[in-house]
Amino acid sequence: MTTTPAPTSRILLSSPDVGKREEELVVEAVRSGWIAPLGPMVDAFEAAIAERCGRQHAVALSSGTAALHLALLEVGARPGTIVIVPTMTFAATANAVAYTGAEPFFVDCEEQTGNLDPDLLERALAQLQAEGATVAAVVPVDLLGRCADYSRLLPICERFGVPVVSDAAESLGASHAGRPAGSFGVMAALSFNGNKIMTTSGGGMLLTDDAATAARIRYLSTQARQPAAHYEHTEIGYNYRLSNVLAALGIAQLERLDGMIARRRAVREQYVEIFAGVDGVRVFQRDGDAADNCWLTAVVIDPAEARWTAKDLRAALDAADIESRPLWKPMHLQPVFAQSRSLTVGAAERLFTCGVTLPSGSALKPDDIQRVAEGLVRFLERA
Ligand SMILES: *Cc1c(COP(=O)(O)O)cnc(C)c1O
């Protein structure tokens, strides 16, 4: 008979990392009586995030998806328009496009970083321009905490006159060319979901440098109420604001962000050591990762060289009660987007087939890291 370890012993990819400070501020928020989706914690959290991301304005929202949805509405995404999205992303990016009625158009990624390929983006924009299509936005995604190549992407989008909405849901704390994640594009979206680099249990933020845009987002996210005692409504609104209690979590987490990034980086270094000298394996995004937040560490396997597959590795980890996952399944391969257009060259598909995301959380205990390391070493010895 095989023994099944207790479910609590399973080591997860990226668990929330909360402690005393979070508890203190949440209690303070509750005792203050500000329980609504507004209040001093929300104001302070918005100011702190805006400063951290080098932005003039930040609007706290109920999720990163909500931030993307409102940003896309604001740039004019609607039925009859197209929004370009990298195919290598989490579904939320594409779902937000669908909410507006616009059509997502998926573009492939760079094999090294998994981020939107600027050359392919240029080709897609030229093709769509030739067709006379209206492209409402390009939404680069900062995959797993590595900023997209904005130095190349922004000038291309500018040449085509298309606004950039940055999906920085995974990259808070990272930077590109000396500028923080979240500072790129006309607007950027952050996520504080439970598995992200920092969390409010659920939440998001919209960032912009334009005061009028920030005001519009605030208005749309609070049911589009006109200033009248009876709540006059002239357009459809949304209930997307962040609770003051959850903002308290966010303030505490942001204070600890740099420490949490350092811990995730240390976890990555461990994987770099384990896989050093193993043929056919590269630690994903390892090259030039000094400015990344190392949200998740993945390895990419060349099965011909390694003589084992991503599937083999995942099965071995699962047997040791260690969670792992493939990289995001590309959107152009998802049944729900089967009808959508795309420009792909197989890069995202190869990453999906050959990539394995490993436990990367800042809350991992030394014992957990030890157990993962031992599991990997045992697998590599047998393989
Ligand atoms: C997590 C995530 C989102 C959505 O954020 P939520 O806060 O969970 O709604 C959007 N885009 C990407 C790339 C993400 O990883």
Side-chain angles (χ1 to χ4, degrees), residues 220-376:
L220 287 175
S221 66
T222 48
Q223 308 281 25
R225 294 191 301 242
Q226 297 286 345
H230 60 264
Y231 295 147
E232 186 83 355
H233 298 277
T234 56
E235 58 194 313
I236 299 295
Y238 302 86
N239 182 8
Y240 276 174
R241 284 289 267 163
L242 183 72
S243 140
N244 193 60
V245 178
L246 299 185
L249 266 177
I251 292 170
Q253 289 267 283
L254 186 58
E255 288 173 6
R256 299 177 45 228
L257 178 63
D258 289 320
M260 294 195 290
I261 292 173
R263 301 227 27 211
R264 286 188 189 252
R265 189 176 300 284
V267 173
R268 174 172 298 187
E269 292 309 320
Q270 184 107 4
Y271 292 128
V272 168
E273 241 174 73
I274 290 167
F275 288 101
V278 177
D279 289 337
V281 182
R282 72 177 160 106
V283 174
F284 186 54
Q285 296 181 338
R286 169 62 176 168
D287 288 344
D289 68 359
D292 299 358
N293 71 7
C294 301
W295 174 49
L296 293 179
T297 295
V299 287
V300 179
I301 294 120
D302 175 346
E305 223 188 306
R307 306 216 241 156
W308 47 270
T309 65
K311 251 194 173 142
D312 299 333
L313 175 59
R314 292 205 50 236
L317 290 173
D318 190 54
D321 219 7
I322 296 166
E323 185 186 22
S324 70
R325 280 181 195 280
L327 292 172
W328 302 127
K329 179 170 181 172
M331 289 304 114
H332 74 280
L333 300 177
Q334 294 283 6
V336 67
F337 295 117
Q339 306 306 314
S340 300
R341 295 174 66 191
S342 60
L343 175 57
T344 60
V345 294
E349 201 167 341
R350 272 191 297 279
L351 288 175
F352 172 57
T353 310
C354 301
V356 178
T357 308
L358 300 168
S360 309
S362 52
L364 285 173
K365 309 229 176 349
D367 281 359
D368 299 335
I369 296 172
Q370 177 81 12
R371 223 178 90 199
V372 177
E374 282 168 8
L376 288 171

Side-chain angles (χ1 to χ4, degrees), residues 12-55:
L12 300 175
L13 274 196
S14 180
S15 309
D17 180 358
V18 295
K20 263 267 91 42
R21 181 65 179 150
E22 284 78 1
E23 192 180 317
E24 272 168 29
L25 286 189
V26 168
V27 169
E28 189 183 320
V30 170
R31 288 191 180 147
S32 75
W34 288 95
I35 310 297
L38 82 173
M41 294 286 187
V42 170
D43 298 343
F45 186 39
E46 288 179 341
I49 287 282
E51 160 138 28
R52 174 85 200 207
C53 295
R55 284 288 201 179

